[in-house]
Amino acid sequence: MAATRTFSIIKPDATRRNLTGAVTKMLEEAGLRVVASKRIKMTREQAEGFYGVHRERPFFNDLVEFMISGPVVVQVLEGENAVQKNRDIMGATNPANAEPGTIRKELAESIEANSVHGSDSEENAATEIAFFFKDDEIVG
Ligand SMILES: Nc1ncnc2c1ncn2[C@@H]1O[C@H](COP(=O)(O)OP(=O)(O)OP(=O)(O)O)[C@@H](O)[C@H]1O
């Protein structure tokens, strides 16, 4: 099967606790290759745009504040079935419900401060990658 791509964010709770390496190691051990990576401070406009689908949810404002509360690492991941592989290693949104061995079970703090984001479809992955990366920043 051909390699596909997904988009990942290492969230501020993880960068704050120096877990960028630990998260990346778990992604790599799950069979994903990091083909682009940069550490950025998201602007409010970026966070609101990125999470626009959640605009009407009660947790939207807190989520935006959290995502701009510190640096994040945005990444493009490549591998066979990359979207699903990443969702599997991330674990459930709420770390309390996540399987042992997943990033959120092992490393996350709470349902909001849950250490990672990962695209939920190939279509969204393409949109999210284009939101943060130019084509020539991705080196497969
Ligand atoms: N009930 C909630 N309270 C606070 N924050 C929440 C809640 N539900 C979701 N979030 C936050 O919003 C993000 C997006 O929610 P979504 O339902 O899309 O979860 P997800 O698909 O597992 O996570 P992500 O989109 O970040 O990969 C979650 O990762 C989490 O940080």
Side-chain angles (χ1 to χ4, degrees), residues 26 87-92 95 97-108:
M26 291 175 82
R87 300 289 294 184
D88 288 349
I89 190 61
M90 284 163 57
N97 301 331
E99 291 290 319
T102 62
I103 293 169
R104 284 166 169 168
K105 185 66 173 189
E106 303 306 328
L107 303 178

Side-chain angles (χ1 to χ4, degrees), residues 31 76 105 133:
V76 181
K105 185 66 173 189
F133 290 97

Side-chain angles (χ1 to χ4, degrees), residues 72-116:
V72 300
V73 178
V74 290
Q75 296 178 317
V76 181
L77 307 177
E78 193 173 86
E80 267 183 36
N81 208 0
V83 168
Q84 191 56 48
K85 216 170 241 173
N86 187 37
R87 300 289 294 184
D88 288 349
I89 190 61
M90 284 163 57
T93 306
N94 186 346
N97 301 331
E99 291 290 319
T102 62
I103 293 169
R104 284 166 169 168
K105 185 66 173 189
E106 303 306 328
L107 303 178
E109 292 184 319
S110 68
I111 190 168
E112 178 181 82
N114 63 0
S115 300
V116 279

